[in-house]
Amino acid sequence: MKDFDFKETFLNPIFKGNPISVLVLGICSSLAVTVQLKGACVMALSVTIVTALSSLVASLLRNTIPNRIRIIVQLVVVALMVILVDQVLKAYVYSVSKTLSVYIGLIITNCIVMGRIEAFALGNKPFASFMDGLGNGIGYGLILVIVAFFRELLGSGTLFGFRIIPESFYDLGYMNNGLMILPPMALILLGCIIWAQRSIQKELQEK
Amino acid sequence: MADYISLFVKSIFVDNMIFAYFLGMCSYLAVSKNVKTANGLGVAVVFVLLVTLPINYLLNEFLLKPGALAWLGEQYATIDLSFLSFIVFIAVIAAIVQIVEMVVEKFAPALYSQLGIFLPLIAVNCAILGGSLFMQEKAFVNVGEAATYALGSGIGWWLAIIALAAIREKMAYSHVPAPLKGLGITFITVGLMGIAFMTFMGIQL
């Protein structure tokens, strides 16, 4: 792969090959942070940065890593990036970093980071790998933000902590859906997103 | 003793790795197509958690925590290495998984052929690293508590994956709308199971 198709590498993971809804990678840690939009956005940003940068580094190192110990090397590269992100978050947005708690650390074992390094970065030029990581991170973040949007809007009636549903609604008898705040709803919402996506893109349906 | 039982039951049902924290979701969804392989992975997770968590606990206690190096001497008492915890934990896990794999292959070939493919996978299972990170956050008072927590959360994970695998085996005979087939319905099933597990919330022992 000498020259790469920019559109293909960058946009494909956002929609058609979305890491969450199509490849089922990296759902692990992050759904728990989708109760509020703010946490989800920070998480999405962190994952994007980690994926892009570790793909870049792994791709730069790809010719010097002996094949047998590559998993360990990849883990070290990813862990390094995650530590950097964690320290930055702790320094600048301490409250958010407290609510995300262990989930930032769990980006290390997020399959999407390792998956992209294994599948793409080890066989491609640094810039292409960087774009691939960026695209995957954004595709991943997109789903997180969609889920968080519905959960925060329906569960607490707010977005980014600001009240969206006016008080008069509550006076008329409107109530927040408490179920939305509970963790299982993230999975059900994700199921619905996949449902919607597969109704549109029929080629993704499983037989 | 009562503390241990309470912690054990709590980590299985209330703080279930899958339903409360979504940890280890990737392999949970990928390997739950039939009960037999799901069982194999479940056992492997319990085993690796039980080995790595106490080791990481000791490392955290004597190396990483603020002031943990005090046993080396006065001048080390102020050192805080906690920013290194991610890299230390993941290195320990990767190494332990490798050693466990070699030991099991040598001494229990039958078990190895059952777990074989799952063992290396476990190094990147979020439930394992998640267990260590939660351990750090919960600040257990001794190794016993850390080990109890490891056993409990491992069994919780095992329970969850067997339950899902059994449901998925039955679901093969059901009529599911085409776009929901496979992944979609699995997510919704896990969500419903999670709601069922929420009834354990607030249990006091």
Side-chain angles (χ1 to χ4, degrees):
Chain A
M1 272 189 254
K2 281 270 156 51
D3 49 350
F4 74 106
D5 184 353
F6 174 78
K7 222 178 112 202
E8 186 63 15
T9 326
F10 183 63
L11 289 181
N12 186 39
I14 300 185
F15 302 106
K16 252 169 70 196
N18 189 291
I20 292 195
S21 62
V22 181
L23 304 177
V24 217
L25 285 178
I27 324 150
C28 310
S29 47
S30 307
L31 281 178
V33 303
T34 54
V35 179
Q36 281 172 335
L37 205 47
K38 199 174 167 197
C41 287
V42 172
M43 190 70 191
L45 198 64
S46 319
V47 172
T48 309
I49 292 171
V50 171
T51 321
L53 288 183
S54 29
S55 278
L56 177 70
V57 174
S59 174
L60 285 171
L61 292 172
R62 71 184 187 281
N63 294 327
T64 50
I65 303 177
N67 200 33
R68 295 189 52 176
I69 57 158
R70 67 178 196 287
I71 301 276
I72 303 274
V73 176
Q74 289 162 10
L75 275 178
V76 172
V77 170
V78 177
L80 181 74
M81 293 304 164
V82 172
I83 289 177
L84 288 180
V85 167
D86 183 49
Q87 296 294 318
V88 170
L89 286 181
K90 272 197 183 127
Y92 291 101
V93 279
Y94 189 73
S95 59
V96 178
S97 127
K98 261 278 163 277
T99 49
L100 293 180
S101 71
V102 301
Y103 292 101
I104 291 290
L106 286 171
I107 298 177
I108 300 174
T109 49
N110 193 325
C111 329
I112 152 182
V113 184
M114 291 287 279
R116 288 332 289 174
I117 293 178
E118 272 287 291
F120 197 90
L122 289 181
N124 285 281
K125 289 233 165 83
F127 184 65
S129 310
F130 182 72
M131 288 327 272
D132 178 73
L134 205 60
N136 274 287
I138 292 173
Y140 179 83
L142 191 69
I143 302 276
L144 279 195
V145 169
I146 293 174
V147 173
F149 176 81
F150 284 111
R151 283 183 80 187
E152 193 176 352
L153 185 65
L154 299 176
S156 338
T158 56
L159 285 178
F160 287 109
F162 296 111
R163 185 139 298 280
I164 296 294
I165 297 178
E167 288 295 333
S168 52
F169 275 45
Y170 290 96
D171 297 340
L172 291 173
Y174 176 84
M175 268 174 38
N176 286 327
N177 184 350
L179 199 58
M180 281 289 170
I181 304 180
L182 302 178
M185 274 320 279
L187 291 166
I188 294 181
L189 273 176
L190 193 56
C192 295
I193 292 174
I194 293 172
W195 189 0
Q197 192 190 12
R198 293 194 177 176
S199 312
I200 300 166
Q201 298 175 340
K202 293 222 163 25
E203 70 276 9
L204 291 175
Q205 290 176 9
E206 289 167 45
K207 54 174 175 17
Chain B
M1 196 60 211
D3 288 356
Y4 287 104
I5 296 174
S6 160
L7 180 67
F8 182 66
V9 173
K10 237 180 131 170
S11 53
I12 295 183
F13 294 108
V14 183
D15 293 342
N16 189 288
M17 282 274 184
I18 295 279
F19 299 124
Y21 301 114
F22 309 106
L23 295 180
M25 222 43 181
C26 312
S27 34
Y28 182 66
L29 293 173
V31 194
S32 59
K33 287 211 175 76
N34 70 65
V35 175
K36 209 174 160 213
T37 42
N39 188 28
L41 185 67
V43 174
V45 165
V46 177
F47 190 55
V48 174
L49 257 179
L50 201 52
V51 179
T52 54
L53 220 128
I55 294 180
N56 279 342
Y57 177 80
L58 292 176
L59 275 173
N60 186 45
E61 213 53 16
F62 294 109
L63 180 68
L64 297 169
K65 239 169 53 172
L69 286 171
W71 56 275
L72 271 180
E74 276 298 305
Q75 70 270 42
Y76 297 103
T78 50
I79 295 178
D80 175 7
L81 289 178
S82 54
F83 68 94
L84 283 177
S85 40
F86 296 159
I87 216 160
V88 170
F89 287 168
I90 196 71
V92 167
I93 290 168
I96 296 285
V97 167
Q98 200 92 115
I99 293 170
V100 165
E101 196 185 346
M102 285 192 274
V103 170
V104 172
E105 188 180 11
K106 177 95 175 110
F107 294 106
L111 183 67
Y112 181 76
S113 60
Q114 253 180 14
L115 298 184
I117 40 168
F118 301 122
L119 275 176
L121 253 176
I122 282 181
V124 288
N125 188 325
C126 321
I128 310 288
L129 182 63
S132 290
L133 293 175
F134 273 123
M135 170 272 294
Q136 197 182 26
E137 201 170 71
K138 286 180 194 238
F140 294 124
V141 287
N142 57 40
V143 185
E145 278 194 2
T148 315
Y149 177 73
L151 188 63
S153 42
I155 290 178
W157 203 90
W158 186 15
L159 209 67
I161 197 170
I162 290 189
L164 181 67
I167 293 178
R168 282 181 81 171
E169 274 189 4
K170 289 281 174 222
M171 215 148 56
Y173 306 107
S174 324
H175 180 69
V176 178
L180 259 182
K181 258 190 189 152
L183 198 56
I185 194 71
T186 309
F187 272 121
I188 293 178
T189 314
V190 178
L192 293 175
M193 285 163 72
I195 292 177
F197 259 70
M198 303 227 77
T199 49
F200 291 113
M201 245 187 176
I203 272 185
Q204 294 290 332
L205 278 177

